[in-house]
Amino acid sequence: DAPLLDLSDMGMCALIAAAAGATRVTSLESSSGGMPTLAATISQVGNNFGIQIIQAQAEHVTKSYILGEIADIVAAEPYYEMLEGWSLQEALNYFHLVRSMKQRGLISPTSISVPSVAILMAVVVEFEDFSNAYGQVGDSEEKVIGCFDHTPVNFFGNRYHTYDVSLPVSEYKYKALSDPFCVAKLLYDEVKIEAADERARSGKIIRPGNCQGVIFYVDYLCRASKEKATHQKDGVHYATITTSSASHRQVVRKLQSCTVVTETDVQKGVMCFCKASFDDEVDGIEDHSFAFKIVK
């Protein structure tokens, strides 16, 4: 009977919770796109569950909007219509929403989150098409095409080592050069970020090639029974839901410079180190940044 707040669009978690017996369920829809489908679904099954839908931005919600006033359980897929295809940003958006609503007293300080943790994963790749498409315009002096000065364009266009790109990578030709490795963890229950320092998060390069970019995906940890668990921490069992499948678009970031790794380098040992920064530590328009270094 604990009040539950679903913070993702389409209300899937809210419907599942209500069908499982929850009686005070609030689904917050930040976009209008999913409202007709969600409303129709509730109408078809009959709204005997104790579920309400609110179409509003999170910053406009007060306690009076939430069944039970203060949510003891907060849930999300996470899916947001405006961020579809940006799995990294969806994970961060959910984190910021939970933190903000806890600060405003809308979510209990002792609440539990579904999912509990988001593990931000990275893979170093050789990605020739991406590297060429998201590089500078013109020659080394940026003045080839029509004698135009491309410096202003390249100031932004040649900085994709600081910007993310969302791509259906299963439709592209690329080669994974490293093992997947964690660059940060978003702890939703504690509302903390375990960011990577330069030496704490690293991945081993296992194949020769041109290290040109990094593909990100998110592994979500949700509380589960012991039989279904893939992780265990402090006596709690968790199952993993991943965005790494071919059905998802992936977030891609270019490395600042290409590093050529030979078979001999691989045999001697090559590592990719990552330093991650979030919130106030970031200098720029993004709320996160990653600095990668390939070390032979």
Side-chain angles (χ1 to χ4, degrees):
D1 193 40
L4 182 144
L5 177 61
D6 183 347
L7 291 179
S8 59
D9 292 343
M10 300 299 290
M12 180 181 293
C13 294
L15 288 172
I16 293 173
T23 58
R24 292 187 289 177
V25 179
T26 304
S27 177
L28 178 62
E29 296 291 313
S30 64
S31 173
S32 61
M35 286 293 293
T37 301
L38 182 57
T41 301
I42 293 176
S43 297
Q44 289 169 9
V45 300
N47 191 11
N48 300 317
F49 295 139
I51 180 175
Q52 70 171 0
I53 310 169
I54 300 170
Q55 184 182 347
Q57 299 298 317
E59 56 267 26
H60 299 151
V61 175
T62 62
K63 290 182 180 180
S64 62
Y65 285 79
I66 301 173
L67 291 177
E69 293 193 342
I70 301 176
D72 291 324
I73 302 173
V74 58
E77 286 188 62
Y79 168 81
Y80 302 96
E81 186 177 6
M82 294 297 292
L83 293 174
E84 185 171 356
W86 297 84
S87 57
L88 184 61
Q89 284 73 8
E90 285 182 323
L92 285 165
N93 187 60
Y94 178 58
F95 176 86
H96 293 309
L97 284 174
V98 172
R99 181 172 63 181
S100 172
M101 298 185 82
K102 277 194 173 185
Q103 291 172 344
R104 294 165 54 206
L106 302 177
I107 298 174
S108 169
T110 59
S111 66
I112 62 172
S113 171
V114 182
S116 300
V117 180
I119 304 176
L120 310 186
M121 303 293 293
V123 180
V124 178
V125 294
E126 179 180 88
F127 204 164
E128 197 70 33
D129 291 343
F130 169 72
S131 181
N132 291 336
Y134 292 89
Q136 74 174 29
V137 178
D139 62 6
S140 59
E141 296 182 357
E142 306 177 358
K143 295 180 180 180
V144 165
I145 303 176
C147 298
F148 289 108
D149 181 1
H150 297 290
T151 304
V153 174
N154 285 331
F155 179 76
F156 296 99
N158 197 32
R159 297 174 66 197
Y160 278 92
H161 61 284
T162 62
Y163 305 146
D164 299 324
V165 181
S166 174
L167 296 174
V169 295
S170 61
E171 301 176 12
Y172 288 80
K173 183 180 179 180
Y174 70 92
K175 180 171 68 173
L177 301 182
S178 77
D179 288 325
F181 61 101
C182 169
V183 296
K185 293 182 180 180
L186 310 181
L187 310 181
Y188 294 126
D189 288 336
E190 299 91 336
V191 198
K192 296 180 180 178
I193 298 179
E194 290 184 356
D197 60 47
E198 194 170 358
R199 292 292 173 179
R201 308 293 188 187
S202 62
K204 183 178 181 181
I205 304 297
I206 58 175
R207 298 182 185 88
N210 299 322
C211 299
Q212 297 170 317
V214 176
I215 294 177
F216 296 95
Y217 63 91
V218 182
D219 283 343
Y220 291 102
L221 301 186
C222 302
R223 290 174 177 81
S225 63
K226 183 177 180 180
E227 294 72 25
K228 296 182 179 180
T230 57
H231 292 71
Q232 181 180 354
K233 182 181 179 181
D234 300 330
V236 181
H237 295 87
Y238 300 93
T240 303
I241 300 174
T242 184
T243 66
S244 63
S245 64
S247 61
H248 289 84
R249 296 174 68 95
Q250 306 298 349
V251 173
V252 186
R253 183 171 290 208
K254 190 175 181 179
L255 293 178
Q256 189 166 7
S257 60
C258 174
T259 300
V260 179
V261 175
T262 65
E263 183 63 44
T264 301
D265 293 330
V266 172
Q267 293 175 2
K268 291 181 178 179
V270 184
M271 301 295 292
C272 176
F273 294 98
C274 174
K275 181 178 181 180
S277 302
F278 297 87
D279 293 334
D280 296 338
E281 300 175 7
V282 178
D283 181 19
I285 61 174
E286 299 279 6
D287 66 349
H288 62 279
S289 68
F290 301 101
F292 291 93
K293 181 188 295 184
I294 308 295
V295 179
K296 299 183 180 181

